Each structure stands twice: as C-alpha cells, then as structure tokens.
Amino acid sequence: MQLTFLGTSAGRPTKDRNVTSIALSLPEPMNSFWLFDAGEGTQHRLMGSKLKLNKLDNIFVTHLHGDHVYGLPGLLSSRSYFDGAGPLKLFGPSGIRAFIEGVFRLSGTHLAYDLEIIEITSGQILDDGKFKVEAAELDHRMPCFGFRIIEYPQPGQLNMERLAELGLAPGPLYGKLKQGEDVTLASGEIIRAADVVSPPTAGRVITVLGDTYPCGNSIALAKDANLLVHEGTFGPGMEAKAAAYGHSTVLQAAETAASAGVKQLVLTHFSSRFDKETIGSLLDAAREVFPHTIAADDYMEVDIPKSV
C-alpha cells in the first residue's frame, strides 16, 4: 500500500504545491486506488503520476471548502474517457450531492459510468470485505470528516516444505488450509491448518484527517494507526490564528500523533505563506514532539509496510 500526495498546499496553490488531494494505492491483486479530496487541478496532478482514472474505485471528501472539492467535476467528467472505467462511489458530507449534480446539470455533463454519491455521517461508511472505512466529524468551520481505513487481517503463509513432507500436492486443499480449515486426506489423515500455516498478519490502519483544530475524534480515528495524515497549516506560536480558522499547527498535529500512538505522521496542507525552507524548520519543530514525522511534498510517495 502506498500514499501519493497530489496536493499539499492549504487554501490556494503555490508554484510548488497544488491544493489538497491524496491517493491511496491498494495492494495486489486489487491494483486500484482511492482518492481523498480533489482540489482544483487534481486531474492535472494525476497526469504526472502513475495513477490512471480507470483504476479509481472510491473518492472520500472531507468537507466542501473549495481547496478540497473544486477539482471534482472535471475529474469525474474526464474519467468517462478512460477505457474500463467502472462504477465509482463518492463519499462526502451533506451537500456533496447538490454540488456535483448542480454542476453537471448546468454544464450539461453526462457520465459514461455509474456514479453513486453517498452523503455520510459518523460511523462505518464502507466494508468491501478487504477494508473497512470509518468516519468521524472533526472540529472545523464547517462539517468536516476524518477517515480511518482498516485493512482486514491477512491470512498466514503456507509452509510449503512441511506440506511436501506430508505428501500434499498443490491444489484446492491448499486454499482451505490457508483459510484456516483443517483438511482430511483420502488416507484419513488429518492435516491441521495450525500446523502448516503461519499466524495471520494484522491489517494496516491508515488515518486521513480533513481540516481540523485538535479534537478527541482526531485521536480516536488515529489510535494505533500505522500512518496518520494530519494538516499542518500553521507554525508554532500561531495557535490563536489556527483556532480562529479551525486549523492546527504542526506542533498540535505532532501532539495528536503522540497521543494516538501512531507509527508515522505525515504533515500536509501547509499555508502558502511558508516556503520550502520554512517548512523544513516546521518539520524540525514537530519532530521535537513526535520524532517519526515527515513533511509531504507534491508527488511524494509514502509506503505503508505490512504490520509485523
């Protein structure tokens, strides 16, 4: 699994950073990706990546501020021109349906695929048998959500050497053993799954938060996550300004990561007032609170290794 940051600026784009959008590439054999927010220019950023719109399955919108949604109409429209573009689900807060349907109606846009728009509330919003997604409302100037993506545990690996010793050739029984089922051979001998399959691997947890002032739901969504994506709109000493606009400083993001016990924090959504050198200084300050912190750049790819 891998996160690709397509836009890391807050409010408006800069020469170096587009506005918010993050892609989550899913593991094989799925070979698809999900998108979190789509600020203006997101489809242009996608063109500079290895991601293709016909591989996009789900879009999750944190809130309806323009730097998070103005790229949606164009992206959804362009997807019709990609061969193999199947049904797509769009999850977002109340109002996302009116926004999309209004733009499409006024512009005469028609899609060549099925688009399902789901207006969400807090709680579980998706379970596809491989991943679950939970949403909770954050503390911002308008309704805004964060998302907790939970991968189901992965089956253990077959001990091929032991199976060969037992005389069991590859075939359908391998699948049953891998799923934890004991099997009985024609001889009457029972092979127990626990004897030939390693323990399952815990699934990964990724938390992607929308714009937010520090709040309890941020910590709850990020609890023990493998990776947390948190906005870092403002720098140290700007707490009052952050509170006024419903945002966080990089130190507050680091404090949330520490409180939640996450493995890694990625800061994004930086104010356009900060240049690259300043963001380096902000990163140093955040690492004083939570050492396992990185600052996202546009097109940065962050791998999410399997849980041990």
Side-chain angles (χ1 to χ4, degrees):
M1 292 172 70
Q2 185 179 74
L3 283 179
T4 302
F5 288 82
L6 300 169
T8 58
S9 182
R12 60 188 176 91
T14 70
K15 290 182 179 179
D16 300 315
R17 297 177 184 272
N18 196 40
V19 285
T20 297
S21 186
I22 305 167
L24 174 63
S25 297
L26 303 178
E28 295 182 353
M30 301 175 75
N31 295 318
S32 59
F33 74 97
W34 296 351
L35 198 64
F36 293 84
D37 288 334
E40 180 184 1
T42 292
Q43 66 170 313
H44 293 273
R45 278 297 197 256
L46 281 168
M47 291 177 188
S49 77
K50 61 188 177 185
L51 303 167
K52 304 300 180 184
L53 280 175
N54 57 355
K55 298 296 185 180
L56 175 61
D57 289 340
N58 296 304
I59 302 175
F60 301 87
V61 172
T62 60
H63 65 297
L64 298 181
H65 275 152
D67 58 320
H68 295 256
V69 299
Y70 282 170
L72 271 175
L75 183 151
L76 293 172
S77 177
S78 294
R79 190 173 182 268
S80 290
Y81 295 94
F82 282 74
D83 291 337
L88 178 68
K89 291 183 178 181
L90 170 61
F91 300 85
S94 177
I96 188 69
R97 179 185 300 278
F99 172 66
I100 295 298
E101 292 182 349
V103 172
F104 284 178
R105 182 179 67 254
L106 293 170
S107 62
T109 299
H110 300 280
L111 303 181
Y113 59 89
D114 293 330
L115 173 65
E116 182 180 0
I117 301 175
I118 302 161
E119 295 192 331
I120 63 175
T121 56
S122 294
Q124 183 173 295
I125 60 173
L126 175 69
D127 186 343
D128 64 6
K130 296 180 180 178
F131 293 89
K132 295 187 292 185
V133 179
E134 298 172 352
E137 195 160 350
L138 305 174
D139 188 353
H140 194 45
R141 290 176 293 157
M142 69 186 312
C144 182
F145 288 89
F147 301 104
R148 180 179 175 90
I149 303 98
I150 306 164
E151 182 184 30
Y152 273 87
Q154 303 300 296
Q157 299 298 310
L158 291 171
N159 185 332
M160 305 301 291
E161 185 175 321
R162 179 59 179 151
L163 288 170
E165 291 174 358
L166 293 169
L168 183 61
L173 294 183
Y174 273 33
K176 290 186 176 182
L177 289 167
K178 195 170 178 64
Q179 294 303 315
E181 298 180 36
D182 298 338
V183 300
T184 302
L185 305 182
S187 63
E189 181 183 0
I190 297 175
I191 298 179
R192 303 192 183 282
D195 295 334
V196 294
V197 182
S198 64
T201 302
R204 289 159 283 191
V205 176
I206 304 99
T207 299
V208 179
L209 301 182
D211 295 358
T212 186
Y213 186 70
C215 63
N217 278 347
S218 293
I219 297 173
L221 286 169
K223 184 65 175 175
D224 298 327
N226 296 73
L227 186 145
L228 165 64
V229 179
H230 198 301
E231 63 135 295
T233 308
F234 294 108
M238 303 179 74
E239 287 77 15
K241 194 174 187 69
Y245 288 94
H247 287 296
S248 298
T249 70
V250 294
L251 295 185
Q252 289 169 328
E255 288 164 357
T256 294
S259 296
V262 306
K263 291 184 174 64
Q264 185 174 39
L265 168 65
V266 184
L267 296 170
T268 186
H269 199 268
F270 299 109
S271 169
S272 58
R273 62 169 55 83
F274 300 136
D275 59 20
K276 190 165 187 175
E277 182 178 351
T278 304
I279 290 174
S281 298
L282 298 181
L283 176 59
D284 290 340
R287 284 176 170 169
E288 290 293 320
V289 177
F290 189 76
H292 303 294
T293 303
I294 60 176
D297 290 313
D298 284 24
Y299 290 121
M300 177 183 282
E301 297 177 343
V302 180
D303 291 326
I304 309 164
K306 290 183 178 180
S307 300
V308 178

